[in-house]
Amino acid sequence: MTRLAPRDATMYWLSRRAPNDLFLVYCFADSGASAEDLRTILVDRSARIDDLRLRLRTVAGNLEYPRWEFVEFGSRQLFGHEEVNLPWPSVSARLGELLGTGLDATRCPWRAHVFRGVDGAPATDGPAVVVVLQLSHALADGTRAAAIARALFAPGTDFPKPVDNPVDHSPEKPTACGQLGSAVVDNSAIAGIARFPNQLRRTVIRGTAAGRARRELAERTAAGEIPAPTVPFAPTALNPPHPVDAGAHRAGVRVYDAAALRVPGYTVTVSALTAISRALERFSPADRLGAQVPMALPGAGAAGNHYRGLSIDLRVDEPDLRARAAALAESLRTRRARATHPLQEAQDAVDAVVPAIFAARDIARADLSSVPGALDGNTVVSSVHRGPADLALAGGAVRWTGGFPALGTVMHLTHGVHGLGDTVTLSVHADAAVLPDPERYLALLDSAVAEVGAALRDGSGGST
């Protein structure tokens, strides 16, 4: 068994308080394979992918961080919805229902939901198979999840390793799903107690170093050597002070030809952010709006969650879309420079050695019921390119992919931007209290994508 990185353990403990699973949607041409055939294919493939053979094992009293153990899963653990011949609007409604659920990673950290014979799926001629891959956030972030899915749906008989895996793949006999290993848990607790004094000492030493790093960061920021942090954003109608009801999640997707968002001189992320800013200013007008944009950190990292959130001003005060896109590109550049500065690593070093019992206690006590007066963003925009469109399921070629960042206390409307081959999908995840009808907002996105594309290509600015 391998100890979870503290960042991954944090995601697990947070999931016990509010759902934060990852949901990846892949749409394939329906080859006519039966439900049993699809189950057989996915169970066989998952058994060859290390990341999909894991289950989380907690430690009594949180005396040590949880650990991954290898297990043998069957189709009963791995499949949720399996429905056939639904029209796309019904599948979209099912997506909303799924987004309000959460996996228990101690039983199984992933699940597939399969819809066959889907009629009218976006950007798809003929019937489709829609697979929703639900992953515990303790297992992966968006980039890693995309790599896992690529391994699951790889063409032919190749089963590539998803990414450099923080789990130690030392040979061992897998545990059958449902079996307990109490002796291992006891040993882990004893090991945690033994490690505690050294962890506490290292936390103090590294905490002192982190304090020095924060002071130096502030001094170098004031001197103009490091970009200043983004000014926080006030809550808006997108951030109401109430929790999201489990049955109030809504989902919607728009699939575009990649050319609509691939504009020379601009990244897809910048084009998408500009379009989202335009749609948001029309849907929920405000003086300032910001987005949290997850950014994958360089290198493999020791955790499945290897990213930082960037706070981006969406510049709804700038009417000229070309100027707005340029400002967003510059903001992404400066936020990335600040987030990856070596001085930022000091706090990561502290988090890596904090005793598990303290980390778990802090999450249990965290206030998840109120909205702060100052926010890093009013929405989330998660942008991940998922590679070439060479994936397949039972002989059916992939058409597009999407994904839905989780809602939370602060975020009641989030966006996914996912590229695959020659398509880019914009996905929307919303609280029904904020957005009862996703189609209304998706129509605004359609108009914004067209408007932004035209403005960036012809240089008109589109300031009307």
Side-chain angles (χ1 to χ4, degrees):
M1 296 199 302
T2 300
R3 175 178 176 268
L4 263 70
R7 182 74 181 273
D8 297 339
T10 294
M11 291 300 182
Y12 168 69
W13 287 322
L14 284 171
S15 76
R16 311 314 297 158
R17 301 194 60 187
N20 65 353
D21 289 349
L22 301 170
F23 289 85
L24 294 78
V25 178
Y26 285 82
C27 180
F28 300 90
D30 193 336
S31 65
S34 67
E36 184 60 34
D37 288 340
L38 296 180
R39 281 196 300 270
T40 299
I41 290 170
L42 293 177
V43 168
D44 180 61
R45 282 177 168 264
S46 66
R48 308 185 195 195
I49 301 169
D50 288 335
D51 286 8
L52 300 183
R53 297 174 52 233
L54 300 173
R55 180 179 63 181
L56 189 145
R57 175 61 59 84
T58 59
V59 177
N62 293 317
L63 294 172
E64 177 60 289
Y65 284 93
R67 292 176 176 265
W68 290 119
E69 63 178 357
F70 284 107
V71 293
E72 295 174 347
F73 292 119
S75 61
R76 289 183 60 187
Q77 292 82 35
L78 301 185
F79 291 90
H81 287 68
E82 289 185 276
E83 301 187 55
V84 64
N85 297 334
L86 292 178
W88 172 253
S90 296
V91 174
S92 186
R94 293 285 198 278
L95 278 172
E97 295 171 5
L98 290 173
L99 292 175
T101 69
L103 296 171
D104 181 353
T106 64
R107 302 176 72 87
C108 187
W110 73 280
R111 181 173 293 166
H113 309 273
V114 181
F115 302 88
R116 296 182 296 122
V118 177
D119 181 43
T124 305
D125 295 327
V129 173
V130 176
V131 180
V132 183
L133 184 61
Q134 182 176 2
L135 295 170
S136 167
H137 219 319
L139 183 64
D141 58 14
T143 301
R144 185 180 184 81
I148 291 172
R150 175 156 288 276
L152 185 64
F153 300 125
T157 57
D158 294 331
F159 298 91
K161 294 287 184 183
V163 286
D164 290 338
N165 200 320
V167 177
D168 177 15
H169 295 137
S170 56
E172 60 177 272
K173 186 180 186 302
T175 303
C177 188
Q179 288 185 355
L180 298 178
S182 57
V184 175
V185 173
D186 290 343
N187 289 339
S188 295
I190 293 169
I193 293 171
R195 281 162 47 90
F196 182 85
N198 188 47
Q199 284 182 310
L200 194 59
R201 180 183 64 81
R202 295 171 73 193
T203 299
V204 172
I205 293 172
R206 294 188 182 187
T208 302
R212 290 195 299 268
R214 283 192 296 271
R215 290 190 293 273
E216 182 179 351
L217 184 67
E219 292 168 358
R220 297 182 65 176
T221 299
E225 299 174 20
I226 299 173
T230 303
V231 176
F233 303 90
T236 71
L238 302 176
N239 317 108
H242 64 74
V244 183
D245 293 335
H249 293 252
R250 299 291 182 267
V253 300
R254 281 290 192 270
V255 182
Y256 301 97
D257 187 299
L261 289 156
R262 287 178 184 162
V263 182
Y266 302 89
T267 66
V268 168
T269 300
V270 168
S271 297
L273 280 170
T274 309
I276 288 168
S277 73
R278 185 60 124 189
L280 281 177
E281 70 176 300
R282 290 170 173 165
F283 173 71
S284 183
D287 293 336
R288 287 183 79 230
L289 288 172
Q292 287 185 354
V293 180
M295 178 202 69
L297 292 171
N305 288 273
H306 190 52
Y307 70 95
R308 283 204 176 99
L310 307 182
S311 177
I312 303 297
D313 190 330
L314 291 175
R315 293 303 306 275
V316 294
D317 60 323
E318 172 55 71
D320 185 289
L321 292 179
R322 195 175 179 88
R324 185 184 300 189
L328 287 169
E330 177 63 10
S331 183
L332 283 168
R333 186 191 69 80
T334 57
R335 296 309 94 214
R336 186 178 292 111
R338 183 177 178 85
T340 56
H341 194 278
L343 288 172
Q344 300 281 16
E345 297 174 4
Q347 186 57 50
D348 295 340
V350 178
D351 296 339
V353 295
V354 170
I357 193 169
F358 292 161
R361 180 204 61 190
D362 289 346
I363 293 170
R365 293 178 178 178
D367 181 7
L368 302 184
S369 61
S370 61
V371 177
L375 309 177
D376 289 334
N378 304 102
T379 186
V380 170
V381 179
S382 179
S383 181
V384 179
H385 182 59
R386 292 180 177 165
D390 58 354
L391 307 180
L393 179 60
V398 72
R399 299 304 187 204
W400 53 268
T401 184
F404 303 89
L407 303 184
T409 303
V410 172
M411 303 301 179
H412 290 241
L413 172 62
T414 65
H415 304 77
V417 181
H418 296 96
L420 185 75
D422 292 327
T423 64
V424 175
T425 302
L426 299 189
S427 310
V428 174
H429 182 188
D431 176 1
V434 169
L435 183 62
D437 179 14
E439 285 300 316
R440 176 192 167 199
Y441 182 65
L442 290 169
L444 292 176
L445 276 176
D446 285 338
S447 298
V449 167
E451 186 179 352
V452 167
L456 299 187
R457 285 185 177 87
D458 65 23
S460 66
S463 59
T464 58

